[in-house]
Amino acid sequence: MYRKNLHSTTGISPVKSNQLNYSNFFSFSAYDRIISQKGNRPSAVAFLLLITALLFLGCESPGSVGEGIGTGEESVETTNVIVDSYSVLKENSYSGRLQYTALGHFEDPVFGTINSVALLKPDISRAQADTLKHGDKMYLRLIFSSSFYGNENSTSSFEIFEAGEIWRGTQLRYNNQVSVNYSSKVGEFQVADEDTLEIEMSREWSDRFIDFYNESASNRDSLYIRNFPGLAIVPSENNQKIHFLKHAEEEEGDLVTGFLVESFTDSDDDENGNGNGEDNGDDNDNDDNGDDEEDEEGIETIRLRDWGASFIRTDEPETEENIILHSTERVLKIETDLPVQDLRNKNIVNAQLILTKDENSQSQSPGIIRPGADLVRINVFNGQPRDLMAEIFTVDPVFFAVLEDNQDTFKIDITDHILDKIHGDTADRNLFLTIQNVDGIIYSSSFIGSDGPDNLKPRIVITSVR
């Protein structure tokens, strides 16, 4: 089963919220659509004439909107409210059964040292193969996303061990470590920019898995869950990159991370192990020139039963100037302190929360590539939930905004929240802002805080007409 939530988990499509609200004002995108449509020249001309008229009227009477069109009494007024009542909460989201699993080690001078061990457990469903045989070869097939975090041209080294404890992907959280059994090594590999690797598993580990797979007891499944901890892929501390394993198809037919079982049979096998005698020494029909060569029967695909990341972030630089958010483990709590009495008599038509990204710190390390965060999400709760990340993970956001190309400012329409604050009985409702979806990719962003320049500080711009 997959956890039901808004974030990107395998097997779950994003849920469209009916709570999202937009207060749409004049936009030049409308003009773009008009002139781009074939045969709409008259409409385009009328549109341009309307713009010209509005600009002319604006010059005649500064501050007025629609003079000569409406009553002539409406004008636009904006109120800027600096947001200085906020706090960054350290809350760990889920790290298991997501669309991707982080795997690697990287020392980021801006966002701290990240060490992520991938945890994988093969399935034992008989739908994949009736039985497996001792002597079959097992391979771990790793499928990597094109996204990565760190130094692009580096090569990463990994060792594969058994996990040191039983774990469940639905219970894994970031910054909660799962132990590793370093005495039971299963394999090792290196990866640079490959998108697929197949690593042969040790005979001892493969045979133990095959024993569980072929188990006939009625409690076979529960025995496997309680006694087979699966694999832990451990990165070297010399690595300079975080990779992301794929667990869901980006396009139909895509391969995903799992296991392969290669079955063989001895071509000359008989009860005495000597072949059939008649063909002994005759190489005419044996292209491989080897009577004891193994002939391939087939390859079975074994999908994953469970997966996740044992992820730890350490040595993160302290900063009081900027707001640092991670999709994995940080939430920005905003308490909207408003001049309610002044705003109560205004006809508010729009309110936007403005947040500006600070790219200066990241630009000081140009050799590092980080997944870019271009989405912010806001949940609204009465007070603060006991398990904040669980609530954010499973509940639709009330507001969101997507960063436009080549822009560094998020503008989030929170009009309904501001109106509720002013006219409703929702004084204890606060905004909880996170970046991106929790899908296993690691996203981090730095925003200018309340100590920054006035035009870049977090603020709420409230527009009203009168």
Side-chain angles (χ1 to χ4, degrees), residues 267-268 282-293 295:
S267 60
D268 293 320
D282 184 1
D283 293 335
N284 291 333
D285 296 323
N286 189 348
D287 293 337
D288 294 327
N289 294 324
D291 294 337
D292 295 326
E293 290 289 334
D295 293 335

Side-chain angles (χ1 to χ4, degrees), residues 56-72:
F56 175 77
L57 290 171
C59 293
E60 288 293 319
S61 179
S64 297
V65 174
E67 186 174 346
I69 297 176
T71 62

Side-chain angles (χ1 to χ4, degrees), residues 53-345:
L54 289 173
L55 292 174
F56 175 77
L57 290 171
C59 293
E60 288 293 319
S61 179
S64 297
V65 174
E67 186 174 346
I69 297 176
T71 62
E73 298 177 354
E74 293 183 349
S75 62
V76 174
E77 180 181 346
T78 59
T79 302
N80 286 275
V81 179
I82 299 299
V83 176
D84 50 17
S85 296
Y86 61 80
S87 55
V88 177
L89 307 178
K90 296 183 179 181
E91 300 282 340
N92 297 313
S93 188
Y94 294 101
S95 66
R97 298 188 68 83
L98 301 173
Q99 193 171 355
Y100 303 95
T101 295
L103 169 63
H105 180 93
F106 182 63
E107 297 178 5
D108 189 332
V110 179
F111 298 121
T113 297
I114 298 169
N115 192 84
S116 189
V117 174
L119 301 169
L120 306 174
K121 189 170 184 176
D123 200 0
I124 58 170
S125 170
R126 291 272 172 75
Q128 301 168 103
D130 290 336
T131 58
L132 302 178
K133 303 189 300 294
H134 288 288
D136 289 350
K137 291 183 179 180
M138 286 196 67
Y139 299 86
L140 172 60
R141 182 172 64 185
L142 302 177
I143 308 297
F144 297 96
S145 167
S146 58
S147 297
F148 65 90
Y149 186 145
N151 293 324
E152 181 174 11
N153 298 319
S154 63
T155 298
S156 302
S157 299
F158 298 90
E159 293 180 291
I160 307 174
F161 301 92
E162 280 197 292
E165 61 186 276
I166 300 300
W167 53 273
R168 294 176 183 267
T170 53
Q171 298 173 355
L172 293 176
R173 299 264 186 146
Y174 290 100
N175 291 302
N176 285 272
Q177 223 166 1
V178 173
S179 63
V180 176
N181 181 3
Y182 289 103
S183 65
S184 180
K185 186 173 179 178
V186 180
E188 61 184 350
F189 64 95
Q190 290 185 324
V191 61
D193 56 359
E194 294 88 346
D195 57 13
T196 304
L197 282 181
E198 294 178 4
I199 305 101
E200 185 174 353
M201 302 288 94
S202 70
R203 171 60 56 204
E204 180 182 1
W205 184 87
S206 298
D207 285 347
R208 288 208 305 112
F209 171 75
I210 289 170
D211 286 340
F212 277 104
Y213 194 95
N214 294 335
E215 175 63 55
S216 59
S218 59
N219 62 339
R220 165 178 177 264
D221 199 59
S222 60
L223 285 172
Y224 182 66
I225 292 173
R226 294 196 302 266
N227 297 287
F228 196 81
L231 298 177
I233 306 177
V234 180
S236 166
E237 293 187 357
N238 295 322
N239 290 353
Q240 302 178 52
K241 187 189 292 186
I242 306 291
H243 304 264
F244 300 101
L245 300 178
K246 286 176 57 176
H247 302 294
E249 297 179 359
E250 294 176 356
E251 297 181 3
E252 187 175 355
D254 280 356
L255 295 177
V256 296
T257 296
F259 289 83
L260 300 175
V261 179
E262 191 173 18
S263 298
F264 290 89
T265 183
D266 191 335
S267 60
D268 293 320
D269 188 25
D270 62 12
E271 292 182 359
N272 298 320
N274 295 322
N276 60 20
E278 296 178 3
D279 296 328
N280 192 21
D282 184 1
D283 293 335
N284 291 333
D285 296 323
N286 189 348
D287 293 337
D288 294 327
N289 294 324
D291 294 337
D292 295 326
E293 290 289 334
E294 291 180 321
D295 293 335
E296 181 180 336
E297 279 190 342
I299 296 178
E300 303 286 355
T301 300
I302 304 294
R303 61 179 179 267
L304 293 181
R305 178 193 185 96
D306 213 349
W307 62 90
S310 177
F311 173 104
I312 297 292
R313 187 191 301 271
T314 57
D315 301 326
E316 185 175 1
E318 294 290 336
T319 177
E320 296 181 356
E321 297 178 356
N322 285 358
I323 300 168
I324 306 298
L325 297 182
H326 309 303
S327 60
T328 51
E329 66 226 86
R330 294 286 188 276
V331 181
L332 179 63
K333 178 182 178 181
I334 300 173
E335 300 177 31
T336 45
D337 295 328
L338 302 170
V340 174
Q341 295 304 321
D342 292 340
L343 295 172
R344 188 159 285 165
N345 296 323

Side-chain angles (χ1 to χ4, degrees), residues 327-393:
S327 60
T328 51
E329 66 226 86
R330 294 286 188 276
V331 181
L332 179 63
K333 178 182 178 181
I334 300 173
E335 300 177 31
T336 45
D337 295 328
L338 302 170
V340 174
Q341 295 304 321
D342 292 340
L343 295 172
R344 188 159 285 165
N345 296 323
K346 295 181 183 295
N347 182 21
I348 296 173
V349 294
N350 183 257
Q352 293 191 343
L353 172 64
I354 310 295
L355 288 177
T356 302
K357 296 179 72 174
D358 180 9
E359 305 288 3
N360 291 333
S361 57
Q362 296 187 48
S363 64
Q364 295 175 8
S365 49
I368 298 174
I369 295 177
R370 303 175 179 89
D374 60 0
L375 170 70
V376 294
R377 304 154 34 92
I378 294 180
N379 290 79
V380 183
F381 299 117
N382 289 322
Q384 182 173 325
R386 182 175 180 180
D387 190 341
L388 177 59
M389 273 301 194
E391 291 293 324
I392 291 175
F393 195 79

